Amino acid sequence: MEVKPRSWRDRGLQAATLPLTTVLMVFFLVPLGLTAVLSFQSTRYYRLVWTWDLDTWVDVFTHVHYWSIMAQTITMAAACVALCIALGLPVAYAMAHRVSTLEHHITVLIVFAFLTDAVLKTFGWVLFLDRSGVLNGALDAVGLGPAATDILFTPSATLLGMVYNLLPYTIFTIYLSLVRIDRDLVLAAYDAGASKTRTFLEVTLPLARPGIFAGGVLVFVLSLGVFLEPKVMGGGTSPMAAELIRQSFETRVNWPLGAALTLVVITIGAGTLGLAALVLMRLSGRREATR
């Protein structure tokens, strides 16, 4: 069945998307606008004062402390993306091509990981990695001594928690891209004498690139707002943007500062999404040109 392209000026399309547009306007743009308004106010004696000035934004742009935490947040998010793709690509490939008979069982397990509360999973890692936890107990039992591993409450533990909680998003996006690859293209490469490695690198991997790219962007954007892992597994040793925003709202009772920092994080995430969309459009255009 041929799907005809439709313009955004189509009245029928506008009517069909009106409910979704209304929901986005009410639950996204309105709070975002209120946050922007709040960032131009100030606080005095822990009370909000409606002043309409740029003092909060000057504070944000002149303090290196805020930007060092933003830089650390982006670095941790980039590392999380790299690890999620490195771990998620083999799992997704195995689900799509190697263990297709167990595909549904693995899918159920991943969905179960989605549905399990992140708090439970994160505190489970604390019990596992604690000095008196399961891991050190097992290592002590084989003669490696007590507290053989001591990564809890370090940036490495924060990264481990982030990868563990966000990895299913990468696996699913890459898997959906892999199962849509025309199997005849892979078989044609084999018939042409290509090895399995060359077929994977020159046929499968380029065709799965949109899924890999989408999974990486999704994990990056979600990583910008992680709060639980730096607090519980990092022990506050690697503060990230979400914790900085929480402290601004709750501890310092400086709502304009928290609003301004929130807008900075949203801008970084929106910029990443825009850049990803631009890259995907260019990749799609290049693919159409080569057909």
Side-chain angles (χ1 to χ4, degrees):
M1 182 179 67
E2 182 182 359
V3 179
K4 297 182 179 179
R6 302 177 68 177
S7 170
W8 61 273
R9 295 187 179 87
D10 189 332
R11 296 293 179 88
L13 182 61
Q14 291 177 1
T17 57
L18 182 61
L20 178 60
T21 305
T22 304
V23 169
L24 289 177
M25 290 287 291
V26 173
F27 293 102
F28 179 71
L29 292 183
V30 172
L32 188 61
L34 293 176
T35 303
V37 169
L38 188 59
S39 69
F40 291 101
Q41 314 308 317
S42 62
T43 55
R44 187 174 302 161
Y45 301 112
Y46 300 104
R47 299 189 66 177
L48 182 65
V49 179
W50 294 87
T51 55
W52 294 99
D53 55 39
L54 295 173
D55 291 349
T56 302
W57 284 104
V58 171
D59 187 27
V60 168
F61 283 104
T62 55
H63 278 74
V64 179
H65 172 69
Y66 300 142
W67 293 100
S68 65
I69 292 181
M70 291 295 174
Q72 180 166 305
T73 303
I74 294 173
T75 303
M76 292 288 283
C80 182
V81 170
L83 289 174
C84 282
I85 291 177
L87 296 173
L89 180 59
V91 175
Y93 184 81
M95 288 175 59
H97 300 294
R98 296 301 178 190
V99 289
S100 56
T101 55
L102 300 175
E103 173 187 353
H104 298 296
H105 298 80
I106 298 175
T107 303
V108 169
L109 291 176
I110 295 177
V111 170
F112 183 73
F114 267 120
L115 298 178
T116 305
D117 188 71
V119 176
L120 295 178
K121 293 188 292 186
T122 304
F123 276 100
W125 273 109
V126 173
L127 296 176
F128 184 76
L129 296 174
D130 189 72
R131 288 189 175 184
S132 57
V134 177
L135 179 60
N136 280 316
L139 294 175
D140 187 27
V142 297
L144 294 179
T149 61
D150 194 14
I151 69 169
L152 194 59
F153 306 138
T154 65
S156 299
T158 300
L159 186 59
L160 173 63
M162 292 170 61
V163 171
Y164 180 74
N165 285 326
L166 297 177
L167 183 60
Y169 294 97
T170 313
I171 293 175
F172 259 122
T173 50
I174 297 177
Y175 168 75
L176 293 176
S177 180
L178 286 171
V179 294
R180 295 181 59 186
I181 295 176
D182 189 350
R183 187 65 181 168
D184 290 341
L185 295 175
V186 177
L187 296 177
Y190 288 147
D191 291 341
S195 63
K196 290 184 178 180
T197 303
R198 187 172 181 182
T199 302
F200 176 80
L201 293 177
E202 297 187 5
V203 177
T204 304
L205 194 58
L207 293 176
R209 193 163 46 191
I212 298 172
F213 200 76
V217 171
L218 179 62
V219 169
F220 182 82
V221 173
L222 292 175
S223 297
L224 293 178
V226 294
F227 168 78
L228 187 63
E229 295 84 353
K231 188 76 174 178
V232 176
M233 296 186 68
T237 57
S238 55
M240 296 178 65
E243 174 63 13
L244 180 63
I245 294 172
R246 186 200 67 79
Q247 290 179 359
S248 300
F249 277 108
E250 295 184 5
T251 306
R252 302 173 62 180
V253 199
N254 192 340
W255 289 15
L257 177 61
L261 293 172
T262 301
L263 291 176
V264 170
V265 174
I266 291 176
T267 302
I268 294 173
T272 304
L273 288 175
L275 182 63
L278 182 64
V279 171
L280 284 177
M281 288 174 62
R282 290 196 174 186
L283 289 176
S284 300
R286 189 178 303 172
R287 185 181 301 171
E288 292 294 332
T290 56
R291 286 182 178 177

